[in-house]
Amino acid sequence: MDNSSQKPVAAVENSYAVALEWVSTIGVIACLAAYLFYIFDLLPLSVSVRTISEHWGISADEAAAKGVVLTGWEWIEHLPNADMLSLASIALLTITPMICLAVASMAFLKLKDHAYTIISILQIIVLLIAVSGFFSR
Amino acid sequence: MKLMASGLFVLAVTLPSIAQAQELAASEPTVWWVWVLMLFIFSFFLGIIAVIAGVGGGVLFVPIVSSFFPFHIDYVRAGGLLVALSGALSAGSPLLKKGMANLRLGLPMALLGSLSSIFGALVGLAMPSSLVQLALGIVIMGIAVLMIMSKNSTVIQQIQPDYLSQVLQISGLYYDTTLKQDVTWNIHRTAMGSVLFVLIGFIGGMFGLGAGFANVPVFNLLMGVPLKVAVATSGLVLSINGSAAIWVYLLKGAVLPLIVIPAVAGMMAGSRIGAWLLPRFHPKWIRIVVISILVLAGVRSMLKGLGV
């Protein structure tokens, strides 16, 4: 098999890696900072830590029915409460691959690698569908 | 044996702490910080063990935490996915830069796996928790058996690439520090591997497991990917699959930052220590310890599922 395409692909991987490093570092720092605000009560909370701990033994559905946890994108409305900031920081961490894929798809497109540009875009669409909650309704 | 004792020491430190936390929490049910602190400490040690044993964090996190901590399995599975995701994210960049993790190999598999992981998460959340716990126990026992039986191939094979891998131009080149030379590789059985990645994604999403335990043998033993590339690319696939499945949990209200963030922080800190300790431990003994933990957690999970 011809391995002549190795160098440009390594360039794509490099751009993915750089994006990954930056976004995941920001995500982790955001998680830790938001968590400190959360547990030390430095900002108002939507649901107290005590209430959460009293209900963490019941299922998410039951907790949602009691109003202990928020479902869908409802949590956005409760920003910048500290617990929702923590959730937002987790959300940021989870979209890291999506941002990296966007960078990679541009790099593939620059190389006129249409198959992998399409695969990257399809992957982003799948992740966007998951984020949208289309399947979770 | 001395090294195995070291691994057991780590567990010996952690498990009594959990027992103490259980006692304290039983006497005062709202001592939330005890559980959170215990989870952080536990995840820290788990991070050390996971790196040395070469397994993902999620596969150990979910059965143990769901069996020994008071959290409902919905939150533990979401935590497991995030633990696995954050581990893969932190290791991803250097592995990509070294040419170990390969996008051409990982992306098609991740595309299939991420779709099925979404459905896995939906099915898992729709099932009664006792059934999930029972099925988790069975899966964990299966993983333990897989770990006992499978011997990943460290021999770099000369493979005749199949049609699909040629169409997708899946091949690679990396510098092997052990062999001190550039290694080129191709793959075969791409279609069969793709089908298995659909299944792995589903199981990973359903139980909140990282699924590196299954990705690596499929890449290495079935498709002929060199072991180092298989391990590195598995992390890439895992991060994309986990990212898709975690949103199902998040939008169902199953992501509790109160327990997820300490677990992720503990696991990430432990993984760094584990990477530093790696040359000092014999992976074989740690592997035996991990298999023992998996069997224990699997049995406990099955019993919990059966209401025993």
Side-chain angles (χ1 to χ4, degrees), chain B residues 1 66 71 73 92 102 117 122 159 243 271 276 283:
Chain B
M1 284 311 284
S66 67
F71 318 129
I73 195 163
N102 187 284
S117 74
L122 287 169
I159 281 171
S243 169
S271 301
W276 178 70

Short mmCIF file of all heavy atoms in Angstrom, two decimals, chain B residues 1 66 71 73 92 102 117 122 159 243 271 276 283:
data_model
loop_
_atom_site.label_atom_id
_atom_site.label_comp_id
_atom_site.label_asym_id
_atom_site.label_seq_id
_atom_site.Cartn_x
_atom_site.Cartn_y
_atom_site.Cartn_z
N MET B 1 5.74 -10.73 43.36
CA MET B 1 4.75 -10.71 44.45
C MET B 1 4.77 -9.38 45.21
O MET B 1 3.76 -8.89 45.67
CB MET B 1 5.03 -11.86 45.44
CG MET B 1 4.62 -13.22 44.94
SD MET B 1 2.93 -13.30 44.28
CE MET B 1 1.97 -13.28 45.78
N SER B 66 -20.90 1.97 41.37
CA SER B 66 -22.33 1.63 41.46
C SER B 66 -22.59 0.58 42.52
O SER B 66 -23.69 0.47 43.04
CB SER B 66 -22.88 1.17 40.10
OG SER B 66 -22.30 -0.06 39.74
N PHE B 71 -24.73 6.29 45.13
CA PHE B 71 -25.30 6.98 43.98
C PHE B 71 -26.08 6.02 43.08
O PHE B 71 -25.65 4.88 42.87
CB PHE B 71 -24.19 7.64 43.14
CG PHE B 71 -23.13 8.32 43.95
CD1 PHE B 71 -21.79 8.07 43.74
CD2 PHE B 71 -23.48 9.22 44.95
CE1 PHE B 71 -20.81 8.68 44.49
CE2 PHE B 71 -22.50 9.85 45.73
CZ PHE B 71 -21.16 9.57 45.49
N ILE B 73 -27.35 4.27 39.74
CA ILE B 73 -26.53 3.85 38.61
C ILE B 73 -26.63 4.82 37.41
O ILE B 73 -25.69 4.91 36.60
CB ILE B 73 -26.85 2.39 38.20
CG1 ILE B 73 -25.76 1.84 37.28
CG2 ILE B 73 -28.23 2.26 37.58
CD1 ILE B 73 -25.73 0.36 37.13
N GLY B 92 -4.88 12.38 24.51
CA GLY B 92 -5.03 12.42 23.05
C GLY B 92 -4.00 13.24 22.30
O GLY B 92 -3.43 12.77 21.30
N ASN B 102 -4.43 7.63 14.99
CA ASN B 102 -4.59 7.88 13.56
C ASN B 102 -6.04 8.24 13.23
O ASN B 102 -6.95 7.45 13.48
CB ASN B 102 -4.16 6.61 12.81
CG ASN B 102 -4.12 6.81 11.33
OD1 ASN B 102 -5.15 6.86 10.67
ND2 ASN B 102 -2.92 6.94 10.78
N SER B 117 -23.69 4.44 20.25
CA SER B 117 -23.57 4.77 21.68
C SER B 117 -24.75 5.64 22.15
O SER B 117 -25.18 5.53 23.29
CB SER B 117 -22.23 5.47 21.97
OG SER B 117 -22.23 6.79 21.51
N LEU B 122 -29.71 5.57 25.38
CA LEU B 122 -31.19 5.67 25.47
C LEU B 122 -31.79 4.38 26.02
O LEU B 122 -32.67 4.41 26.88
CB LEU B 122 -31.76 5.97 24.08
CG LEU B 122 -31.56 7.39 23.55
CD1 LEU B 122 -31.92 7.47 22.07
CD2 LEU B 122 -32.38 8.39 24.35
N ILE B 159 0.56 -6.92 6.54
CA ILE B 159 -0.82 -7.24 6.19
C ILE B 159 -1.13 -6.79 4.77
O ILE B 159 -0.73 -5.70 4.35
CB ILE B 159 -1.77 -6.59 7.21
CG1 ILE B 159 -1.79 -7.47 8.47
CG2 ILE B 159 -3.18 -6.43 6.67
CD1 ILE B 159 -2.49 -6.88 9.61
N SER B 243 -18.49 11.38 23.94
CA SER B 243 -19.03 12.73 23.77
C SER B 243 -20.48 12.68 23.27
O SER B 243 -21.31 13.50 23.68
CB SER B 243 -18.14 13.48 22.79
OG SER B 243 -18.72 14.67 22.39
N SER B 271 -4.14 9.44 37.06
CA SER B 271 -3.56 8.96 35.80
C SER B 271 -2.15 9.52 35.61
O SER B 271 -1.26 8.83 35.12
CB SER B 271 -4.42 9.40 34.61
OG SER B 271 -5.71 8.89 34.76
N TRP B 276 3.65 8.20 35.85
CA TRP B 276 4.97 8.37 36.45
C TRP B 276 5.44 7.07 37.10
O TRP B 276 6.61 6.70 37.05
CB TRP B 276 4.89 9.50 37.49
CG TRP B 276 6.17 9.75 38.21
CD1 TRP B 276 7.33 10.31 37.71
CD2 TRP B 276 6.45 9.45 39.59
NE1 TRP B 276 8.29 10.37 38.68
CE2 TRP B 276 7.78 9.84 39.85
CE3 TRP B 276 5.71 8.89 40.64
CZ2 TRP B 276 8.38 9.70 41.10
CZ3 TRP B 276 6.31 8.74 41.88
CH2 TRP B 276 7.62 9.15 42.10
N PRO B 283 3.40 -4.61 34.92
CA PRO B 283 2.00 -4.59 34.49
C PRO B 283 1.27 -5.91 34.68
O PRO B 283 0.07 -5.93 34.90
CB PRO B 283 2.10 -4.25 32.99
CG PRO B 283 3.46 -3.71 32.79
CD PRO B 283 4.33 -4.28 33.85
#
